[in-house]
Amino acid sequence: SGTAAIDEQGLTVFAGDFEAQAACTLGMIAALIAPTGATLADVRQATAFFKHPQHAERFASIARRFGMAHVPTVDVIADVCRDDLLFELDATVVLR
Protein backbone atom coordinates (compact mmCIF):
# COMPACT_ATOMS: atom_id res chain seq x y z
CA SER A 1 0.00 0.00 0.00
CA GLY A 2 1.01 3.60 -0.29
CA THR A 3 2.62 5.76 2.35
CA ALA A 4 1.76 9.33 3.21
CA ALA A 5 2.49 12.05 5.77
CA ILE A 6 0.78 10.38 8.74
CA ASP A 7 2.32 10.35 12.21
CA GLU A 8 2.54 7.60 14.82
CA GLN A 9 -0.87 8.55 16.22
CA GLY A 10 -2.47 8.23 12.78
CA LEU A 11 -2.84 11.97 12.23
CA THR A 12 -1.99 13.82 9.04
CA VAL A 13 1.08 16.04 9.35
CA PHE A 14 1.89 19.20 7.38
CA ALA A 15 -1.72 19.71 6.26
CA GLY A 16 -1.84 22.08 3.30
CA ASP A 17 1.93 21.97 2.67
CA PHE A 18 2.64 19.75 -0.34
CA GLU A 19 6.42 19.97 -0.20
CA ALA A 20 6.55 19.09 3.49
CA GLN A 21 4.13 16.19 3.00
CA ALA A 22 6.15 14.83 0.08
CA ALA A 23 9.46 15.14 1.93
CA CYS A 24 7.93 13.54 5.04
CA THR A 25 6.58 10.67 2.93
CA LEU A 26 9.97 9.98 1.37
CA GLY A 27 11.59 10.13 4.79
CA MET A 28 9.05 7.64 6.11
CA ILE A 29 9.69 5.26 3.22
CA ALA A 30 13.44 5.53 3.84
CA ALA A 31 12.87 4.67 7.51
CA LEU A 32 10.56 1.75 6.65
CA ILE A 33 13.05 0.12 4.29
CA ALA A 34 16.23 0.86 6.27
CA PRO A 35 15.99 -2.26 8.49
CA THR A 36 16.34 -4.40 5.34
CA GLY A 37 19.51 -2.57 4.35
CA ALA A 38 17.68 -0.74 1.56
CA THR A 39 17.79 2.96 0.77
CA LEU A 40 15.77 5.14 -1.56
CA ALA A 41 18.42 4.36 -4.19
CA ASP A 42 16.96 0.83 -4.22
CA VAL A 43 13.50 2.02 -5.29
CA ARG A 44 12.85 0.65 -8.77
CA GLN A 45 9.41 2.04 -9.54
CA ALA A 46 6.76 4.18 -7.89
CA THR A 47 3.24 5.45 -8.28
CA ALA A 48 2.70 8.97 -6.99
CA PHE A 49 -0.81 10.15 -6.19
CA PHE A 50 -1.36 13.91 -6.33
CA LYS A 51 -4.47 15.75 -5.24
CA HIS A 52 -3.53 18.69 -7.51
CA PRO A 53 -1.82 18.37 -10.92
CA GLN A 54 0.61 21.24 -10.31
CA HIS A 55 2.24 19.23 -7.54
CA ALA A 56 3.57 16.58 -9.93
CA GLU A 57 6.24 18.89 -11.30
CA ARG A 58 7.21 20.02 -7.80
CA PHE A 59 7.59 16.40 -6.72
CA ALA A 60 10.23 15.80 -9.40
CA SER A 61 12.58 18.26 -7.69
CA ILE A 62 11.86 16.76 -4.25
CA ALA A 63 12.57 13.27 -5.60
CA ARG A 64 15.91 14.51 -6.97
CA ARG A 65 16.83 15.89 -3.53
CA PHE A 66 16.15 12.47 -2.03
CA GLY A 67 18.22 10.62 -4.65
CA MET A 68 15.24 9.25 -6.55
CA ALA A 69 15.70 10.98 -9.91
CA HIS A 70 16.34 7.57 -11.49
CA VAL A 71 12.98 6.10 -10.42
CA PRO A 72 10.34 5.64 -13.12
CA THR A 73 7.20 7.09 -11.57
CA VAL A 74 3.62 6.91 -12.72
CA ASP A 75 1.87 10.14 -11.75
CA VAL A 76 -1.83 9.87 -10.90
CA ILE A 77 -4.05 12.88 -10.28
CA ALA A 78 -6.74 11.61 -7.95
CA ASP A 79 -8.23 11.84 -4.51
CA VAL A 80 -5.68 10.78 -1.97
CA CYS A 81 -6.77 8.51 0.90
CA ARG A 82 -7.66 11.49 3.17
CA ASP A 83 -9.09 14.92 2.49
CA ASP A 84 -6.14 16.67 4.17
CA LEU A 85 -3.44 14.71 2.34
CA LEU A 86 -2.03 16.17 -0.87
CA PHE A 87 0.30 13.30 -1.73
CA GLU A 88 0.77 9.55 -1.37
CA LEU A 89 3.49 7.29 -2.75
CA ASP A 90 3.54 3.58 -3.49
CA ALA A 91 7.05 2.31 -4.20
CA THR A 92 8.77 -0.97 -4.99
CA VAL A 93 12.24 -1.67 -3.62
CA VAL A 94 14.47 -4.36 -5.10
CA LEU A 95 17.48 -5.67 -3.23
CA ARG A 96 20.14 -7.83 -4.81
Side-chain angles (χ1 to χ4, degrees), residues 61-82:
S61 69
I62 296 167
R64 280 191 298 277
R65 273 199 333 254
F66 279 80
M68 290 183 53
H70 68 285
V71 178
T73 303
V74 174
D75 294 345
V76 178
I77 310 305
D79 283 334
V80 182
C81 63
R82 296 180 180 189

Side-chain angles (χ1 to χ4, degrees), residues 14 16-23 50 55-56 58-59 62 86-87:
F14 307 113
D17 185 338
F18 169 76
E19 291 194 18
Q21 283 191 1
F50 301 96
H55 291 157
R58 290 169 58 192
F59 177 66
I62 296 167
L86 302 172
F87 176 75

Side-chain angles (χ1 to χ4, degrees), residues 23-85:
C24 177
T25 299
L26 292 178
M28 293 171 93
I29 291 172
L32 285 168
I33 64 176
T36 69
T39 70
L40 293 175
D42 297 306
V43 174
R44 294 295 174 250
Q45 70 80 34
T47 302
F49 299 91
F50 301 96
K51 187 164 282 195
H52 304 293
Q54 66 270 23
H55 291 157
E57 190 171 308
R58 290 169 58 192
F59 177 66
S61 69
I62 296 167
R64 280 191 298 277
R65 273 199 333 254
F66 279 80
M68 290 183 53
H70 68 285
V71 178
T73 303
V74 174
D75 294 345
V76 178
I77 310 305
D79 283 334
V80 182
C81 63
R82 296 180 180 189
D83 289 340
D84 55 358
L85 284 173

